[in-house]
Amino acid sequence: MSETINVTRSSMPSFEEYCNEIKDIWSSRWLTNMGTKHRALESGIKEYLGTPNVTLFTNGHLALENVIKAFDLKGEIITTPFTFASTTHAIVRCGCTPVFCDINPVDYTMDADKIEALINEHTSAIIPVHVYGNLCNVEKIEEIAKKYGLKVIYDAAHAFGVTKNGVSAANFGDAAMFSFHATKVFHTIEGGALCYGDESLSERLNDLKNFGIHGPEEVPFVGGNAKMNEFCASMGICNLRHLDEEIEKRQKCFEHYTERLSGVDGIRLNSVQQDVKSNYAYFPVVFDGYKYTRDQVYSRLAQQNIIARKYFYPLTNDFDCYAGKPGFDSAKTPVAKHIADRVLTLPFYADLSIDDVDRICDIILG
Ligand SMILES: *Cc1c(COP(=O)(O)O)cnc(C)c1O
């Protein structure tokens, strides 16, 4: 049987390049707490994304929780159930109530036309998700947020390097959260960041991610610990050097998949949005009226040791941990439900060979 193909495979610099990057840590003995690697990565990301303020975190999830705390959000937050567990859990863990807005069936992001109907006097923010690197309707969301005085935090975990008319996903909303988890297009093993326009936020975020400690004898906030260490930052520094090349390789895979699978009845692909430069983060396919169901395609691939992923399924408003809680009901987000039941993300990473893409497509089409 052929070798297992997983849904993703982390990109890594050469062993030598990484060792070279971490070498001076042995003389500095500075392993965490905003060391030189941390600072170098922050400025590298600022430059790469063309964004004024970057704060690094242990992971994307804690970045999200910390910005919710930094903005002191309360009450209801409008969000999407078509996302990773993190988005909804962060809202709940911060003591707020998620209010689920349905998605649009074209790019799977929050349907901006359905937001206003969910706003009431308890609403404090909107947390949309740039799903698969597809950008939300940022213009419309900004307009609504301004009209009602709401904060907007983008879960941009999928959108590192994505731009619209040259503007980075980092620059939309009051803040954008990126995840640098090992499975993401750009990673630091584990890690994450917040990007934001208001410079005055950075002091507060830096305190919050370090137990709320501001100075040796000054603790103004109840904070946790969410600092990125120097080894993770070093991995990021190396990976950032190769990112453009990685994205180009992903684009080749993307184009080959698209060539093989487009125009097939019952198969819907995710095309790159107009005016958007993609980072080719995922290859989602919606099987809707195809000769095989999504679950059948999943099993056919699994029989050949090819591991695709039902992503995002289940919807977060269908999670067991929220069962029976008011407002957690996927029947109220029917478009999201329809897509979650039919979507499969295919194996996709920079080093996936064209032969493997062909093998995967042959099984799907066979
Ligand atoms: C990966 C991911 C996160 C969480 O990021 P971590 O760095 O793993 O904590 C949040 N939201 C979405 C949409 C993600 O894909």
Side-chain angles (χ1 to χ4, degrees):
M1 192 167 233
S2 329
E3 219 180 301
T4 301
I5 300 177
N6 277 315
V7 68
T8 189
R9 202 177 96 158
S10 299
S11 44
M12 290 173 85
S14 72
F15 181 66
E16 291 72 24
E17 183 180 350
Y18 185 66
C19 289
N20 198 45
E21 191 62 47
I22 61 174
K23 216 174 208 157
D24 39 351
I25 299 177
W26 264 259
S27 46
S28 72
R29 298 287 166 129
W30 192 292
L31 307 184
T32 185
N33 288 59
M34 332 266 269
T36 52
K37 302 298 177 185
H38 187 284
R39 291 199 297 274
L41 181 60
E42 275 188 354
S43 27
I45 290 171
K46 265 185 218 174
E47 192 180 331
Y48 187 87
L49 296 181
T51 195
N53 303 294
V54 175
T55 302
L56 298 175
F57 288 86
T58 315
N59 54 56
H61 179 79
L62 286 175
L64 196 52
E65 287 197 6
N66 275 282
V67 73
I68 293 172
K69 299 233 194 266
F71 286 144
D72 202 16
L73 298 180
K74 299 269 189 295
E76 299 183 0
I77 297 179
I78 297 170
T79 188
T80 165
F82 193 67
T83 183
F84 185 57
S86 171
T87 327
T88 303
H89 286 351
I91 294 169
V92 173
R93 283 166 54 88
C94 288
C96 298
T97 304
V99 172
F100 294 103
C101 182
D102 208 353
I103 62 171
N104 76 66
V106 179
D107 59 28
Y108 321 121
T109 64
M110 189 183 276
D111 187 339
D113 293 330
K114 294 183 179 156
I115 296 173
E116 275 194 90
L118 301 172
I119 296 174
N120 62 38
E121 71 272 26
H122 305 295
T123 312
S124 62
I126 309 173
I127 303 189
V129 180
H130 298 307
V131 181
Y132 308 130
N134 296 334
L135 295 184
C136 298
N137 187 343
V138 290
E139 296 85 4
K140 179 84 195 252
I141 291 171
E142 187 180 327
E143 191 187 304
I144 294 169
K146 279 227 172 85
K147 182 168 163 193
Y148 294 92
L150 305 175
K151 289 275 190 241
V152 178
I153 302 167
Y154 282 103
D155 179 333
H158 290 186
F160 194 87
V162 177
T163 59
K164 182 171 186 183
N165 293 318
V167 179
S168 163
N171 295 343
F172 299 118
D174 294 285
M177 174 277 275
F178 292 101
S179 163
F180 305 150
H181 182 254
T183 55
K184 306 296 205 261
V185 173
F186 166 73
H187 78 86
T188 61
I189 309 172
E190 290 271 7
L194 290 171
C195 299
Y196 45 91
D198 177 7
E199 199 189 337
S200 70
L201 197 58
S202 72
E203 195 172 277
R204 184 157 201 186
L205 289 172
N206 282 328
D207 291 351
L208 278 171
K209 76 179 183 183
N210 188 30
F211 305 101
I213 297 172
H214 186 68
E217 299 180 9
E218 216 184 323
V219 188
F221 305 116
V222 183
N225 180 2
K227 305 184 299 294
M228 181 184 283
N229 69 61
E230 292 289 279
F231 288 85
C232 287
S234 299
M235 180 61 87
I237 291 168
C238 295
N239 282 338
L240 201 54
R241 286 184 194 122
H242 305 289
L243 186 57
D244 287 341
E245 198 186 315
E246 288 284 315
I247 293 175
E248 267 171 43
K249 285 195 201 162
R250 285 172 170 271
Q251 183 175 0
K252 291 217 168 68
C253 264
F254 180 95
E255 284 165 359
H256 197 65
Y257 263 132
T258 303
E259 201 179 298
R260 291 288 318 268
L261 297 177
S262 61
V264 178
D265 256 2
I267 290 188
R268 192 140 46 86
L269 305 181
N270 178 46
S271 48
V272 177
Q273 295 165 306
Q274 227 191 334
D275 305 322
V276 168
K277 186 176 151 290
S278 178
N279 63 352
Y280 303 99
Y282 298 90
F283 201 89
V285 179
V286 173
F287 296 95
D288 197 356
Y290 185 53
K291 63 178 173 177
Y292 307 123
T293 64
R294 182 270 309 272
D295 289 358
Q296 285 168 336
V297 175
Y298 177 86
S299 305
R300 286 170 64 84
L301 291 168
Q303 277 158 17
Q304 305 292 321
N305 278 340
I306 296 167
I307 312 305
R309 187 172 172 201
K310 299 174 195 177
Y311 190 67
F312 300 109
Y313 172 86
L315 295 174
T316 66
N317 53 4
D318 272 339
F319 281 2
D320 305 336
C321 56
Y322 298 125
K325 296 240 162 74
F328 289 83
D329 179 4
S330 64
K332 289 186 183 148
T333 54
V335 178
K337 174 99 182 119
H338 186 89
I339 300 298
D341 286 342
R342 289 165 180 79
V343 71
L344 192 66
T345 56
L346 301 180
F348 193 59
Y349 44 87
D351 291 325
L352 184 67
S353 72
I354 295 298
D355 284 351
D356 283 337
V357 172
D358 275 327
R359 194 153 73 83
I360 293 162
C361 293
D362 288 342
I363 296 166
I364 294 170
L365 297 171

